[in-house]
Amino acid sequence: MAEAEPLRPIELQPQPKTVQELAAIDGKEVPERYIHKADNNGGRALDAPFPVLDVPTVDLQLLASSSSGGEELEKLRSALSSCGCIQAINHGITSAFLDTLQEVARQFFALPSEEKKKYSREIGSIEGYGNDMILSEHQILDWTDRLYLILSPEDKRMLKFWPENPESFRRILHEYSMKLPVILEVLLKAMARSLNLEENQFLQQYGDRATMQARFNFYPICPRPELVLGVKPHADGSVITLLLQDKEVKGLQVLKDDQWFNVPIVPQALLINVGDQLEIMTNGIFKSPLHRVLTNLEKERITLAVFCLPHPDQEIQPVEELINETNPRLYKKVKDYVSLFFQYYQQGRKPIEAALL
């Protein structure tokens, strides 16, 4: 196909203060650029009560077993075809390790601003410590600060952005990055088997030069949670995303059947959601969910998302076995989807539209 040249994000200006600094300066109001109008939320206040999403809990040990995983495979297929996410348990990472990972993240965001800013991202780049890129004058900003780091391939890591304070941060994050490929392989193989495909179908498209990117998210206390979002509505540009939720503070919401639902916290589970690139591979069978993050008047919230992304040169397309007269092909062949993601994001459009036939 003839492809438009993907556009890289162009940052107009950096934000002078982090959200954490803004929250400390004025405890009662937020700047206008963070406020969402009520008509953008279906006329519903962001602090209104929302129903809880029934996110199926899936046992990864059972998924990995070819003999005893039939029921879990069906649960997996059903969940990813409807809400697009699961709570993954028995993933092989101990509760104690996950607690340690969350604690070093908390210690980093509790450091003085001047210490954190040693790892500040550069203009026009997402890697490092900071907050929203300013891509347009009319952009509504997210009430969050982030630390964005490439985990793999290891030779692509930019260690100047990896905190040395707390002292154990680099070691703990490296250990976590070594555990994730096993989980990813179990998931992608099980997802293929759940659709009666050869188990390596999705792994082959994911490729052996793929990237894992970590994003630590810090959501400060917000004085106007009825008007401000931690993260605006979006779907992920990944194949899949692995999220370690805050142990105590909820905030994540998923859109299902045109209604927003709260995503519950399952202690020590990893929340796994489909990204746009897996929706393309499955020809729309698995759904990449639209999601957002609410803010909180009383408590800070910290999460860690890991995005699993094919190499930019890797071509992604629907698996042929999933295309027939009843289910015609929906998506084109695409590559460097993350660049397309930014191109459409700047235009206020859903990035996956770029891949539709």
Side-chain angles (χ1 to χ4, degrees), residues 35 62 77 85 100 147 175 211 225 229 250 282 325 332:
I35 293 175
L62 290 177
R77 185 202 60 77
C85 55
T100 301
L147 176 64
E175 285 183 31
T211 300
L229 282 170
K250 295 189 288 290
T282 63
E325 288 184 6
K332 299 178 280 197

Side-chain angles (χ1 to χ4, degrees), residues 26-194:
D26 190 342
K28 294 182 180 179
E29 291 301 325
V30 298
E32 182 73 23
R33 295 202 66 175
Y34 290 87
I35 293 175
H36 288 257
K37 304 292 188 287
D39 54 1
N40 291 336
N41 304 307
R44 187 172 189 179
L46 293 170
D47 62 348
F50 290 91
V52 176
L53 185 65
D54 181 16
V55 182
T57 299
V58 175
D59 188 319
L60 294 199
Q61 287 186 1
L62 290 177
L63 276 187
S65 168
S66 56
S67 58
S68 60
E71 188 175 323
E72 293 301 294
L73 280 179
E74 174 54 31
K75 195 190 299 185
L76 178 72
R77 185 202 60 77
S78 176
L80 300 186
S81 303
S82 55
C83 65
C85 55
I86 60 168
Q87 303 274 13
I89 60 170
N90 286 335
H91 41 60
I93 304 178
T94 66
S95 299
F97 181 84
L98 292 178
D99 287 345
T100 301
L101 179 59
Q102 289 173 316
E103 180 57 28
V104 296
R106 195 168 301 280
Q107 289 173 10
F108 171 75
F109 285 111
L111 292 171
S113 289
E114 58 270 23
E115 177 68 20
K116 293 193 289 284
K117 287 182 177 180
K118 291 178 182 177
Y119 308 101
S120 291
R121 66 175 181 82
E122 295 160 357
I123 295 176
S125 171
I126 59 173
E127 191 166 3
Y129 170 70
N131 44 27
D132 276 355
M133 279 190 187
I134 307 294
L135 303 177
S136 113
E137 294 288 351
H138 307 292
Q139 180 179 334
I140 299 175
L141 304 179
D142 294 337
W143 192 259
T144 182
D145 295 326
R146 307 178 176 103
L147 176 64
Y148 214 124
L149 302 169
I150 292 175
L151 298 182
S152 65
E154 282 191 56
D155 62 2
K156 297 296 184 185
R157 291 179 180 178
M158 298 185 70
L159 290 179
K160 67 179 181 179
F161 295 123
W162 285 54
E164 295 182 281
N165 186 2
E167 187 179 352
S168 61
F169 186 100
R170 290 184 174 189
R171 175 178 58 82
I172 296 297
L173 183 57
H174 173 73
E175 285 183 31
Y176 188 56
S177 74
M178 294 294 99
K179 299 172 188 291
L180 296 181
V182 177
I183 296 173
L184 177 67
E185 182 172 338
V186 168
L187 285 166
L188 289 180
K189 285 183 173 181
M191 289 171 183
R193 293 203 311 275
S194 78

Side-chain angles (χ1 to χ4, degrees), residues 317-328:
Q317 63 183 322
V319 174
E320 287 297 330
E321 290 89 333
L322 300 177
I323 300 168
N324 51 49
E325 288 184 6
T326 310
N327 301 293

Side-chain angles (χ1 to χ4, degrees), residues 105-318:
R106 195 168 301 280
Q107 289 173 10
F108 171 75
F109 285 111
L111 292 171
S113 289
E114 58 270 23
E115 177 68 20
K116 293 193 289 284
K117 287 182 177 180
K118 291 178 182 177
Y119 308 101
S120 291
R121 66 175 181 82
E122 295 160 357
I123 295 176
S125 171
I126 59 173
E127 191 166 3
Y129 170 70
N131 44 27
D132 276 355
M133 279 190 187
I134 307 294
L135 303 177
S136 113
E137 294 288 351
H138 307 292
Q139 180 179 334
I140 299 175
L141 304 179
D142 294 337
W143 192 259
T144 182
D145 295 326
R146 307 178 176 103
L147 176 64
Y148 214 124
L149 302 169
I150 292 175
L151 298 182
S152 65
E154 282 191 56
D155 62 2
K156 297 296 184 185
R157 291 179 180 178
M158 298 185 70
L159 290 179
K160 67 179 181 179
F161 295 123
W162 285 54
E164 295 182 281
N165 186 2
E167 187 179 352
S168 61
F169 186 100
R170 290 184 174 189
R171 175 178 58 82
I172 296 297
L173 183 57
H174 173 73
E175 285 183 31
Y176 188 56
S177 74
M178 294 294 99
K179 299 172 188 291
L180 296 181
V182 177
I183 296 173
L184 177 67
E185 182 172 338
V186 168
L187 285 166
L188 289 180
K189 285 183 173 181
M191 289 171 183
R193 293 203 311 275
S194 78
L195 296 175
N196 298 313
L197 299 172
E198 194 278 319
E199 69 173 13
N200 288 316
Q201 281 277 14
F202 299 142
L203 271 173
Q204 287 168 0
Q205 286 206 57
Y206 183 65
D208 56 10
R209 297 185 298 155
T211 300
M212 281 190 175
Q213 297 177 352
R215 192 178 75 199
F216 292 86
N217 306 295
F218 177 76
Y219 303 96
I221 289 171
C222 180
R224 302 299 302 273
E226 77 280 12
L227 297 175
V228 177
L229 282 170
V231 178
K232 63 182 71 67
H234 68 286
D236 290 345
S238 57
V239 171
I240 64 172
T241 302
L242 303 93
L243 179 70
L244 179 61
Q245 293 214 73
D246 191 292
K247 289 174 62 176
E248 299 175 356
V249 185
K250 295 189 288 290
L252 179 64
Q253 292 192 323
V254 164
L255 188 70
K256 184 174 183 286
D257 301 324
D258 296 321
Q259 183 174 7
W260 287 105
F261 288 83
N262 291 328
V263 175
I265 296 170
V266 175
Q268 312 306 334
L270 292 175
L271 183 75
I272 311 295
N273 70 266
V274 172
D276 285 358
Q277 296 195 60
L278 186 59
E279 179 167 334
I280 292 168
M281 291 182 197
T282 63
N283 200 42
I285 296 174
F286 290 169
K287 310 300 183 191
S288 176
L290 199 68
H291 51 284
R292 68 183 187 183
V293 176
L294 302 183
T295 52
N296 194 294
L297 180 62
E298 299 174 344
K299 295 181 179 179
E300 299 171 344
R301 180 171 178 266
I302 296 176
T303 64
L304 170 56
V306 174
F307 304 97
C308 303
L309 301 159
H311 188 277
D313 292 339
Q314 183 78 20
E315 290 187 327
I316 301 300
Q317 63 183 322

